[in-house]
Amino acid sequence: MKKRKTISNNRNLLRLLYNSYLPKVVNCAIDINLFDVLAQKELSLKEISGKINTVETITEALLDVLVAVDLIKINEGKYSLLQTANDFFLDVSKANIVSTVKNFSGSAGPFDNLKAVLREGPPVFNDRMWTNANSIASMEHQQYGGAIQNVLAFIRTIPEFKACKKMCDFAGSVGYFSFEFIQENPQIESHVYDLSEVCDLAKEMKKDEEYYNRITYHDFDMASNRSFGSGYDLFFGSHFLYKFNAERTLVEFFKQVNQAMNSGGLFVSNHITSNPDGENDVTLSIVELMTRCIGYPTHQLAEIDLKTALKKAGFGEFRTKYLADEAPYPTLLLSAVKIMEI
C-alpha cells in the first residue's frame, strides 16, 4: 500500500480567492442603486427588489454577502445601511469611493453578469457543467486540499466503517473519495454513480491507479433513473443533496437509499451547511450568491433538515462533526445508521 503524501489544508487560500470577488459584488450593488435605496429607510427584501426591479432570490443572496462584510444589517426582516456604506457608497457623501471600487472590479469571473441576473433572473442551470476533463480534474485537486482529509478523519471514528464491504459513492465523479476509502478499508468494493460523460472520463483518467479494479462506474441520471443498486453497507454522498432539499424531495430520495442498503448500513454525508449561530459567513454567502447566479437553487443544507429527512426515511444513531476552522466554509460531516426498513 502506498504511503499518502501529506498535503496542507487549502481553506485559507480558498477564502482569499472567494473574497477577491467582493469588489465585483459591491460594485454591482452600487450600480443598481442598492445603497441609495437603503439610505432612505429600512426596507424588506420584497420592498428592495420592487424598488430596484430585481429578482428576489438573487437579491437575497446579494444582501447576505453585504451583511457578512458589515455594509448592511438586517433586523426583524428589515435591511438598513451600516455606517461604512453610508459614508463611502452614497453619491451625496463627500467621502464616497465609488470610482475607487470600480478600479478593483475588473475580472472574468462569476459575477461579470451579476447586474443582468439581478434584473432578469438566472439562466437555466447547466447540469453538464462539470462533465469535462478539466473541470473534473480541478474539482478533484480542490478536494485534496482538505476536504478528503476531513472526511477520512471523520470516518475513521465510526466503528461500523471497518466492517463495510460494498459501497455506493453517489454522484461520486471519478471516484476520488472511493479510492481513499478503499485505502482505509481494503475490503471495500465501491460502485460510483454519475452521469455517463463523467463515467467515461473516469474510466480513462483512473485506469492506471491502484485499486481501480475495486471500483465499478455506473452511468446514472436522476432525471431518468431511480435505481442505484442494492446490498450496500456504506452509502456516501458529497455536495449533491442541496437540490433535493430545495425541491422538498429529500425524504423521497432517502427512502430510495434505505431500500438500497443492508440493515445496519452506514450513510455518510459531506455538505456545506449554514452557520449554527445564524451569523453570515463571508465565504459562505459568496458561494451562495455564485450558486444562485448560475441557476442552481442553493448550496447549503441545514443540519436540522438533513436529520429530519433521514429520520423519516428510517435512519438514526447520528454522528456529526461541524467544520468551521478546518474548511473554507461551514461544513457538516454526518453519519447515520439504517435502523428500519421502509
Side-chain angles (χ1 to χ4, degrees), residues 89-101:
F89 294 142
L90 301 181
D91 285 337
V92 296
S93 172
K94 289 179 65 175
N96 88 72
I97 58 168
V98 171
S99 60
T100 303
V101 173

Side-chain angles (χ1 to χ4, degrees), residues 1-5 183 208-211:
M1 184 183 297
K2 294 180 181 177
K3 185 177 180 180
R4 287 195 186 92
K5 180 183 177 182
Q183 283 201 58
D208 296 324
E209 289 202 17
E210 188 179 10
Y211 304 120

Side-chain angles (χ1 to χ4, degrees), residues 149-161:
Q149 294 90 328
N150 289 333
V151 170
L152 289 175
F154 176 67
I155 207 165
R156 289 183 192 119
T157 68
I158 304 173
E160 292 92 341
F161 172 67

Side-chain angles (χ1 to χ4, degrees), residues 196-213:
S196 59
E197 304 96 314
V198 175
C199 291
D200 289 344
L201 286 168
K203 293 169 187 176
E204 182 61 30
M205 295 168 70
K206 296 295 185 180
K207 63 183 180 181
D208 296 324
E209 289 202 17
E210 188 179 10
Y211 304 120
Y212 175 76
N213 64 340

